[in-house]
Amino acid sequence: MLTNTSTRAASSSSPARQFKAATTAPRAARTVRLMCRASAEPEQRSIAKWGAAAAAAVGAVVLSSAPLPAVAVPQTSVCATESCDGMDFSNKDLRTEFYTKGSLKGANFSKSNLTNVSLFGANLADANLSGANFSLANLGQANLEGANLSQTNVSGAIMSSARFNSKTILDGADFTDVIVRKDVNDLLCKLAKGTNEMTGNDTRESLNCF
């Protein structure tokens, strides 16, 4: 019995069996690694696709929430570089125009609509603005000396630092919600009279003349 056991043991550990075991183990290990890799690749591809989709979604949110580019506001107008003195702008809808710092001496804007239009710093000396609608317009620092504002609606307009003189005509002008310095308001009250036909507002009352 001892001899047979020893013989089987010796036989099982023979060089041929040892060589077979040595070559079989690496192949088995390689097979296991390939199987693991094969099972992992779909998951990795799925994770990669999900990551790309998430990145695209985040990018879309960032782009959609990005502010729109600012639109530059013109600092001057055509009439500032090329004189518009004495030109006829009467009886027109001019709400899409602007006359910032324009030279408009003696120009005719009678019965035109200039609602919300910028005439900041414009020279409107002796201009005819009668019957025009300048409500909510920007007339800040404008020169209105000698201008005709009879029946003109300037309600809600910006007129800070605008210049007037004793030759400015205000018959029936509406200055509702217009803010000017006290000394300017005192001058306008000396000139104010009549009622605006468009709004029905009394000129002196619109200037708070007491």
Side-chain angles (χ1 to χ4, degrees), residues 152-174:
T152 302
N153 179 12
V154 291
S155 59
I158 298 172
M159 303 190 80
S160 56
S161 299
R163 302 198 304 277
F164 305 86
N165 63 9
S166 59
K167 295 181 179 181
T168 302
I169 302 172
L170 301 181
D171 297 6
D174 185 354

Side-chain angles (χ1 to χ4, degrees), residues 122-133:
N123 188 350
L124 292 159
D126 302 317
N128 182 4
L129 312 179
S130 61
N133 188 354

Side-chain angles (χ1 to χ4, degrees), residues 2-140:
L2 291 174
T3 301
N4 292 338
T5 303
S6 299
T7 301
R8 285 198 301 271
S11 175
S12 63
S13 60
S14 65
R17 290 182 177 273
Q18 291 177 356
F19 174 78
K20 184 177 181 180
T23 56
T24 300
R27 285 200 300 270
R30 184 185 177 195
T31 301
V32 171
R33 287 197 299 272
L34 289 174
M35 292 175 64
C36 291
R37 183 182 302 173
S39 61
E41 283 179 352
E43 183 177 355
Q44 291 173 350
R45 285 196 296 270
S46 177
I47 292 173
K49 289 181 180 178
W50 181 88
V58 171
V61 171
V62 171
L63 288 174
S64 64
S65 61
L68 295 174
V71 178
V73 177
Q75 298 301 308
T76 58
S77 61
V78 173
C79 292
T81 55
E82 300 177 12
S83 175
C84 293
D85 294 352
M87 291 185 66
D88 186 5
F89 299 99
S90 62
N91 296 291
K92 290 181 172 63
D93 186 348
L94 302 171
R95 287 175 294 175
T96 59
E97 304 297 328
F98 64 96
Y99 302 93
T100 307
K101 299 181 181 178
S103 181
L104 296 155
K105 292 180 291 183
N108 184 5
F109 286 96
S110 63
K111 298 182 180 179
S112 287
N113 188 350
L114 293 100
T115 302
N116 208 36
V117 170
S118 174
L119 295 101
F120 176 83
N123 188 350
L124 292 159
D126 302 317
N128 182 4
L129 312 179
S130 61
N133 188 354
F134 284 89
S135 58
L136 304 176
N138 186 349
L139 288 156

